[in-house]
C-alpha cells in the first residue's frame, strides 16, 4: 500500500483543460472519493493516476517514488470500470489470471491466487463461465477480483456501481467498503453520486471543471461546504440559496424580503470584518422548521415568509417547494401536518446550521476569513 | 391480434422484393444455368446456331481433365492459381491485419491519411493502376525497377522480370499487383473492428500490464476472430475468380502468358481470347472453378467455426 500525491497536476486535451493545477494527497489505506458532475475531470484524474494519460504538467508520487512518467504496467494499480471491461473471449478464471499471466507468474501460483481472490469475492463457482453468462453484479465482482489479484498498491474505481440496479448497488457498496478496510488498500473512487461518496469514503474530494473545490471528511463537506458549488452539489435535495441584504446596527442581521434573520455570533464577527452589503444565505432542507401559523413562531427566533409551490409526500417526510419572493427553496416537513399549494408558511432556520456565502466569489464566508 | 407480416400485403412485399430478385435472376441465376448448359455443348467461336442444340455430355470435362494431366501449359495454370491464391490471400489477410494494427497504434490524424493512401489502388481505375505497374516492371530500361536497379549498380542491363525470371518473376508481379489492391479491404474491415472495441477493454489490458504486443496477441486478435474469418473467406473466393489486373499484365506482355495465367484468366482467354475460342471448354472450366470455390469456402467457414458466430450468445449481454 502506498500514499498517492499529486502536485500541481494539469492535463490539457488540445485547448480543453480537463484537470487544472490539482494538488491532492491520498493517505496510505485511505478510501478517497473523487466526486463531481460529468465532465468535471474526475475520470481524467483517475486515468492520470493509473498512467493511462500523462499530465501536461505537474508530478504524481506513490509514496516518495515519482511515477509521473511511468507506463501503467510499472505502477501496479488495479482499475475497475463502470462497464466492467471484462475480456469477453476469456473465461472468468482467465480474466482474473490475466494480469498474473502477463507478469509470467508460475502457473501453480496463478491458480492459488485466483482461487483465493475468487473466494474473497464469492465467485468461485463462476470461474468456468464466460463474462457474457454472468449478471451485472457478478461481472463487477469479477472485475474487482481481476483488479485485486495482482495485489495492487492502489485500487482505482471508476463509477463501479453505476451500471448496477438500485438495490444491488447499495449491497455491493457496503461490501466494497468492508473489503477495502479489511485489505487496508489505498482506494480512489470516482463517482457522480454524492450519496455513494458520503457512504463509502473516508474523505471526499469534490471536483468541478477540473478544479478541486474541497477535500474533507464527508460530514465537513456536508455541513461546512467551502463554496456554493459544493453546497449545491452535495445533499439530495441540495442546499438552498437565498440572497439576503446585511444590516449593521448594534448587532448584525440579514434582511430577506421583509423578514430579518438573526445570526450566530461566529457570523456576526465575520461580517463585521468583511463589511459585505449582500450575502447568499444557504441552508439545508432538513435544517428548517416549517410553521403554518405565525403564532407558533417562538419570540426572538427568526423566520422567513414563503408560499408553498408544490407538495411531494415521501413517506417519512414531506418535501415542500416554497417560494421566497422569486427564489425557490426545498424543505422537509413532518408528515403530521397537512400542506397544500398556495399555503402561506413560515420557515424557521436552525441558526447553528445556516451558512453564508459571498455572492461574488461564491466562497463560504468563514473560509474567506481564514485565507 | 398479431398479424403475420407475410400475409399483410403481398403486393407491397412483391414491389420491394422484385428489383433485387430480377437482378439476381438476370445476372446470377440465368448465367449459371447457361454456363452449365454450355459446358455440355461443343460450342466454339460463338457459333450459336450450329452448336447450341448439340449435347456432347461430359466431353468438355474429359478434355479439360486430359489437358490438365497431359498439357504442360494447362498444368501450369493450376500451379499458377494455387501459388497466386495462397500467397495473395496470406498477404491480403495478414497485411490487412498488420496495416489495421499499425493504424490503430499510431495517432488518429496521421492514420487517416495513411489509410487513404492504401485505398488508392482500389480507387484507381484498373487500367490506370495496371499501367503504373506496367511501367514499373517494364522489361526495358524505361522500367522503373530496372532503372533503379541499374543506377544502383545491382544489374548491368535491363531484365524482363515477368518474362525471364521464371516462375517467380511473373508470380511475384501478379501477387504484388493484386496484393496491393486486396490489402486495403482487410485493413478497412479490421481497422473499423479495432475501433469498435470498447476503450475500457484496452485501458484495462494496459493497466493489467500488457505491452503493445501482448495487447495485440491476447486481446485484439482474439476479438477480431469473426472479422478474420470473414475477410479470409471473402478474399479467397474473390482471388479465385479475379482476372482483370492479370489479364492486362499478360496482354501488355509484362507477365509471361504461361506463368501469369490463373484459372479464372484461363476461362476468360479460352472463351474470349485470341485464336480459336472454345466456349464449351471454358464453361466446363468455369463450372469446376465454381465447385472448387464453394468447397474451399465451405471448408474455411467450417474450420474457423462460422456456425458459432451465427448462433445466439448464451446469457445476457
Amino acid at each position: 500500500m502506498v500514499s498517492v500525491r499529486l502536485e500541481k497536476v494539469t492535463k490539457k486535451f488540445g485547448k480543453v483543460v480537463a484537470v487544472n493545477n490539482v494538488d491532492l494527497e491520498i493517505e496510505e489505506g485511505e478510501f478517497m472519493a473523487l466526486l463531481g458532475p460529468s465532465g468535471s475531470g474526475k475520470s481524467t484524474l483517475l486515468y492520470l493516476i493509473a498512467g493511462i494519460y500523462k499530465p501536461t504538467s505537474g508530478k504524481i508520487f506513490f509514496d516518495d517514488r515519482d511515477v509521473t512518467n511511468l507506463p501503467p504496467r510499472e505502477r501496479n494499480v488495479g482499475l475497475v470500470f463502470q462497464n466492467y471491461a471484462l475480456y469477453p473471449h476469456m473465461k472468468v478464471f482467465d480474466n482474473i489470471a490475466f494480469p498474473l499471466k502477463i507478469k509470467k507468474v508460475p502457473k501453480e501460483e496463478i491458480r492459488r491466487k485466483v482461487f483465493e481472490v475468487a473466494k474473497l469475492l464469492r465467485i468461485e463457482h463462476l470461474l468456468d463461465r464466460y463474462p457474457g453468462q454472468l449478471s451485472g453484479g457478478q461481472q463487477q465482482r469479477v472485475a474487482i477480483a481481476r483488479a485485486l489479484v495482482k495485489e495492487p498498491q492502489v485500487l482505482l474505481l471508476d463509477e463501479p456501481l453505476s451500471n448496477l440496479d438500485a438495490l444491488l448497488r447499495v449491497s455491493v457498496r457496503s461490501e466494497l467498503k468492508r473489503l477495502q478496510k479489511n485489505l487496508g488498500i489505498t482506494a480512489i473512487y470516482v463517482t457522480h453520486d454524492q450519496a455513494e461518496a458520503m457512504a463509502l469514503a473516508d474523505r471526499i474530494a469534490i471536483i468541478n471543471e477540473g478544479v478541486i473545490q474541497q477535500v474533507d471528511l464527508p460530514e465537513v463537506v456536508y455541513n461546512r461546504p467551502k463554496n456554493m458549488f459544493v453546497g449545491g452539489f452535495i445533499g439530495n435535495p441540495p442546499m438552498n440559496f437565498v440572497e439576503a441584504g446585511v444590516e449593521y446596527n448594534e448587532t448584525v442581521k440579514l434582511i430577506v424580503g421583509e423578514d430579518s434573520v438573526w445570526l450566530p455570533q461566529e457570523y456576526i464577527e465575520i461580517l463585521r470584518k468583511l463589511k459585505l452589503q449582500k450575502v447568499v444565505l444557504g441552508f439545508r432542507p432538513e435544517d428548517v422548521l416549517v410553521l403554518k401559523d405565525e403564532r407558533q413562531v417562538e419570540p426572538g427566533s427568526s423566520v422567513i415568509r414563503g408560499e408553498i409551490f408544490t407538495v411531494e409526500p415521501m413517506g417519512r417526510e414531506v418535501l415542500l417547494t416554497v417560494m421566497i419572493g422569486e427564489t425557490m427553496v426545498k424543505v422537509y416537513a413532518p408528515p403530521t401536518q397537512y400542506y397544500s399549494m398556495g399555503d402561506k408558511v413560515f420557515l424557521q432556520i436552525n441558526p447553528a446550521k445556516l451558512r453564508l456565502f459571498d455572492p461574488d466569489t461564491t466562497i463560504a464566508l468563514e473560509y474567506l476569513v481564514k485565507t | 391480434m398479431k398479424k403475420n407480416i407475410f400475409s399483410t400485403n403481398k403486393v407491397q412485399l412483391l414491389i420491394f422484393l422484385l428489383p433485387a430478385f430480377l437482378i439476381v435472376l438476370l445476372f446470377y441465376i440465368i448465367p449459371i444455368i447457361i454456363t452449365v448448359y454450355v459446358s455440355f455443348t461443343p460450342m466454339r467461336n460463338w457459333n450459336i446456331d450450329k452448336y447450341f442444340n448439340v449435347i456432347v455430355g461430359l466431353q468438355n470435362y474429359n478434355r479439360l481433365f486430359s489437358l490438365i494431366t497431359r498439357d504442360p501449359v494447362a498444368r501450369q495454370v493450376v500451379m499458377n492459381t494455387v501459388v497466386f491464391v495462397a500467397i495473395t490471400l496470406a498477404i491480403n489477410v495478414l497485411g490487412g491485419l498488420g496495416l489495421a494494427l499499425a493504424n490503430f497504434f499510431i495517432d488518429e490524424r496521421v492514420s487517416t491519411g495513411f489509410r487513404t493512401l492504401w485505398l488508392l489502388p482500389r480507387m484507381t481505375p484498373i487500367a490506370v493502376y495496371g499501367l503504373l505497374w506496367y511501367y514499373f516492371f517494364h522489361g526495358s530500361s524505361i522500367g522503373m525497377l530496372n532503372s533503379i536497379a541499374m543506377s544502383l549498380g545491382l544489374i548491368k542491363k535491363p531484365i524482363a522480370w515477368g518474362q525471364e525470371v521464371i516462375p517467380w518473376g511473373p508470380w511475384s508481379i501478379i501477387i504484388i499487383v493484386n496484393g496491393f489492391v486486396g490489402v486495403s479491404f482487410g485493413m478497412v474491415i479490421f481497422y473499423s473492428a479495432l475501433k469498435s472495441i470498447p476503450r475500457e477493454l484496452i485501458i484495462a489490458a494496459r493497466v493489467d500490464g500488457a505491452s503493445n504486443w501482448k495487447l495485440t496477441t491476447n486481446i485484439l486478435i482474439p476479438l477480431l476472430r469473426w472479422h478474420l474469418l470473414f475477410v479470409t473467406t471473402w478474399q479467397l473466393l474473390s482471388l479465385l475468380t479475379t482476372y482483370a489486373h492479370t489479364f492486362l499484365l499478360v496482354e501488355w506482355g509484362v507477365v509471361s502468358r504461361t506463368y501469369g495465367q490463373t484459372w479464372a484468366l484461363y476461362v476468360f482467354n479460352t472463351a474470349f481470347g485470341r485464336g480459336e475460342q472454345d466456349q464449351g471448354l471454358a464453361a466446363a472450366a468455369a463450372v469446376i472453378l465454381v465447385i472448387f470455390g464453394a468447397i474451399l469456402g465451405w471448408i474455411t467457414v467450417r474450420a474457423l467455426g462460422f456456425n458459432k458466430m451465427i448462433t445466439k450468445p448464451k446469457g445476457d449481454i
Side-chain angles (χ1 to χ4, degrees):
Chain A
M1 308 309 122
V2 294
S3 66
V4 177
R5 197 167 81 247
L6 286 83
E7 273 180 11
K8 302 205 181 332
V9 170
T10 295
K11 176 67 186 173
K12 291 181 192 166
F13 295 105
K15 280 183 184 160
V16 181
V17 184
V19 168
N20 193 354
N21 203 23
V22 162
D23 285 302
L24 185 63
E25 181 154 13
I26 298 115
E27 286 161 28
E28 203 178 313
E30 188 178 27
F31 201 136
M32 171 72 88
L34 290 179
L35 176 63
S38 50
S40 59
K42 56 193 189 303
S43 290
T44 307
L45 203 54
L46 198 74
Y47 288 167
L48 283 165
I49 297 168
I52 302 297
Y53 298 145
K54 283 213 171 91
T56 312
S57 61
K59 283 189 181 303
I60 300 170
F61 296 90
F62 285 5
D63 283 339
D64 289 325
R65 192 163 71 111
D66 184 350
V67 299
T68 315
N69 291 312
L70 292 185
R73 64 173 179 276
E74 284 169 46
R75 296 195 187 195
N76 194 19
V77 295
L79 185 48
V80 179
F81 296 90
Q82 174 176 350
N83 62 5
Y84 326 126
L86 298 175
Y87 310 123
H89 58 290
M90 295 183 195
K91 287 185 172 171
V92 168
F93 180 93
D94 297 308
N95 259 285
I96 301 174
F98 187 68
L100 302 179
K101 223 177 91 189
I102 293 283
K103 275 198 223 163
K104 298 203 167 67
V105 175
K107 271 216 166 102
E108 239 346 277
E109 204 181 330
I110 292 183
R111 270 184 74 78
R112 191 175 54 75
K113 283 191 170 173
V114 170
F115 276 106
E116 206 176 281
V117 74
K119 210 173 158 197
L120 184 70
L121 285 148
R122 301 198 310 266
I123 48 173
E124 313 101 292
H125 59 296
L126 304 174
L127 290 175
D128 211 27
R129 295 201 198 164
Y130 283 99
Q133 299 168 303
L134 305 181
S135 71
Q138 289 170 331
Q139 289 192 48
Q140 198 51 292
R141 278 168 211 272
V142 176
I144 294 168
R146 185 179 65 187
L148 289 177
V149 77
K150 54 183 163 179
E151 291 157 23
Q153 295 184 301
V154 187
L155 180 62
L156 305 172
L157 304 116
D158 190 2
E159 310 233 9
L161 306 181
S162 298
N163 276 17
L164 305 180
D165 61 65
L167 273 177
L168 196 59
R169 199 178 307 160
V170 174
S171 78
V172 178
R173 186 168 86 186
S174 47
E175 254 177 77
L176 203 56
K177 187 163 187 170
R178 267 194 77 83
L179 192 66
Q180 188 265 342
K181 285 286 165 255
N182 286 344
L183 297 173
I185 192 168
T186 311
I188 305 173
Y189 187 104
V190 162
T191 180
H192 66 270
D193 181 344
Q194 46 93 19
E196 219 166 85
M198 298 283 292
L200 279 170
D202 295 323
R203 283 193 303 157
I204 300 176
I206 293 122
I207 181 167
N208 187 37
E209 290 175 348
V211 179
I212 299 269
Q213 306 288 321
Q214 186 171 8
V215 186
D216 252 314
L217 302 173
E219 55 269 27
V220 176
V221 169
Y222 189 80
N223 291 319
R224 304 183 79 86
K226 200 168 187 174
N227 57 36
M228 285 170 67
F229 175 82
V230 175
F233 191 72
I234 300 225
N236 184 28
M239 187 175 258
N240 296 302
F241 299 111
V242 180
E243 282 187 18
V246 189
E247 200 177 277
Y248 296 89
N249 278 322
E250 60 270 28
T251 182
V252 179
K253 63 177 183 176
L254 302 185
I255 307 295
V256 180
E258 303 155 26
D259 301 306
S260 308
V261 177
W262 307 103
L263 292 172
Q265 196 57 38
E266 180 201 11
Y267 271 127
I268 291 176
E269 281 162 23
I270 291 170
L271 275 172
R272 281 203 193 282
K273 255 188 248 171
L274 294 172
K275 299 186 174 61
L276 293 172
Q277 291 308 308
K278 276 196 153 70
V279 293
V280 172
L281 165 64
F283 57 92
R284 295 215 171 263
E286 64 272 24
D287 294 331
V288 174
L289 201 58
V290 182
L291 305 171
K292 287 188 78 174
D293 193 336
E294 194 158 11
R295 283 168 297 180
Q296 292 174 301
V297 178
E298 293 163 41
S301 68
S302 39
V303 291
I304 302 172
R305 257 168 269 248
E307 192 184 302
I308 294 181
F309 189 68
T310 56
V311 181
E312 296 165 65
M314 314 283 280
R316 197 177 50 184
E317 64 258 301
V318 180
L319 180 63
L320 302 176
T321 307
V322 177
M323 296 291 289
I324 299 172
E326 295 291 294
T327 315
M328 242 180 229
V329 299
K330 290 194 182 275
V331 295
Y332 280 121
T336 46
Q337 274 272 18
Y338 180 77
Y339 305 94
S340 59
M341 275 201 274
D343 283 2
K344 297 260 181 285
V345 286
F346 301 89
L347 305 180
Q348 186 180 327
I349 300 163
N350 181 351
K353 294 289 182 80
L354 65 80
R355 297 283 114 202
L356 298 184
F357 300 90
D358 174 15
D360 295 330
T361 58
T362 78
I363 295 174
L365 296 191
E366 65 266 33
Y367 290 97
L368 217 52
V369 179
K370 270 183 209 161
T371 49
Chain B
M1 267 292 279
K2 250 188 174 177
K3 270 193 188 169
N4 188 339
I5 55 153
F6 295 105
S7 68
T8 44
N9 196 339
K10 279 189 177 142
V11 178
Q12 219 172 38
L13 267 172
L14 209 64
I15 291 170
F16 280 112
L17 285 178
L18 205 61
F21 178 71
L22 281 180
I23 288 171
V24 171
L25 187 75
L26 213 61
F27 295 106
Y28 292 88
I29 296 173
I30 293 176
I32 285 174
I33 292 169
I34 293 176
T35 305
V36 172
Y37 176 79
V38 168
S39 76
F40 294 113
T41 71
M43 176 91 73
R44 57 189 62 232
N45 295 326
W46 295 108
N47 202 334
I48 295 167
D49 296 337
K50 191 172 172 190
Y51 297 115
F52 196 73
N53 294 319
V54 186
I55 300 287
V56 293
L58 291 173
Q59 206 189 68
N60 286 322
Y61 293 91
N62 284 333
R63 277 172 61 214
L64 188 66
F65 185 72
S66 57
L67 275 175
I68 292 169
T69 44
R70 303 220 183 91
D71 178 10
V73 173
R75 210 178 308 160
Q76 193 58 45
V77 169
V78 176
M79 192 61 196
N80 293 343
T81 310
V82 171
V83 171
F84 168 73
V85 171
I87 297 180
T88 318
L89 183 64
I91 289 175
N92 283 353
V93 175
L94 298 178
L97 182 64
L99 283 175
L101 286 166
N103 272 303
F104 182 72
F105 283 116
I106 61 175
D107 191 275
E108 176 87 41
R109 279 162 295 182
V110 183
S111 79
T112 311
F114 190 62
R115 282 199 309 283
T116 316
L117 208 64
W118 279 96
L119 280 170
L120 277 176
R122 188 171 287 277
M123 297 190 288
T124 319
I126 292 171
V128 176
Y129 175 68
L131 208 57
L132 285 174
W133 290 110
Y134 171 78
Y135 285 117
F136 187 83
F137 287 115
H138 198 279
S140 73
S141 56
I142 63 156
M144 197 170 152
L145 186 61
N146 277 329
S147 68
I148 290 171
M150 285 197 307
S151 64
L152 288 175
L154 296 175
I155 51 173
K156 291 236 164 58
K157 52 179 188 175
I159 297 174
W161 302 94
Q163 300 283 5
E164 293 169 15
V165 191
I166 300 297
W168 283 101
W171 282 352
S172 305
I173 294 176
I174 58 173
I175 287 167
I176 288 169
V177 172
N178 283 286
F180 268 103
V181 181
V183 91
S184 62
F185 180 76
M187 178 190 74
V188 169
I189 303 268
F190 295 140
Y191 181 72
S192 60
L194 286 171
K195 276 284 160 186
S196 71
I197 294 174
R199 208 173 65 104
E200 284 84 1
L201 226 52
I202 287 143
I203 294 179
R206 291 241 183 265
V207 170
D208 283 348
S211 55
N212 278 353
W213 174 248
K214 289 275 182 191
L215 176 69
T216 304
T217 53
N218 283 284
I219 310 291
L220 300 181
I221 291 179
L223 291 178
L224 288 188
R225 193 182 157 170
W226 304 122
H227 306 88
L228 279 163
L229 163 67
F230 167 70
V231 171
T232 307
T233 315
W234 181 274
Q235 291 285 39
L236 170 68
L237 297 180
S238 65
L239 284 172
L240 274 175
T241 54
T242 189
Y243 63 88
H245 295 95
T246 321
F247 169 74
L248 290 179
L249 292 171
V250 170
E251 282 303 299
W252 294 341
V254 183
V255 166
S256 126
R257 183 174 289 268
T258 314
Y259 293 96
Q261 188 165 241
T262 58
W263 193 285
L265 184 57
Y266 176 74
V267 171
F268 178 86
N269 282 337
T270 308
F272 304 96
R274 293 172 191 161
E276 198 191 34
Q277 298 175 334
D278 193 337
Q279 283 86 34
L281 186 66
V287 170
I288 297 290
L289 181 63
V290 169
I291 293 170
F292 246 95
I295 293 170
L296 281 178
W298 184 79
I299 290 173
T300 330
V301 158
R302 258 309 151 98
L304 294 168
F306 182 76
N307 55 335
K308 262 195 221 153
M309 176 175 77
I310 55 173
T311 48
K312 278 189 184 168
K314 295 163 202 137
D316 52 357
I317 298 185

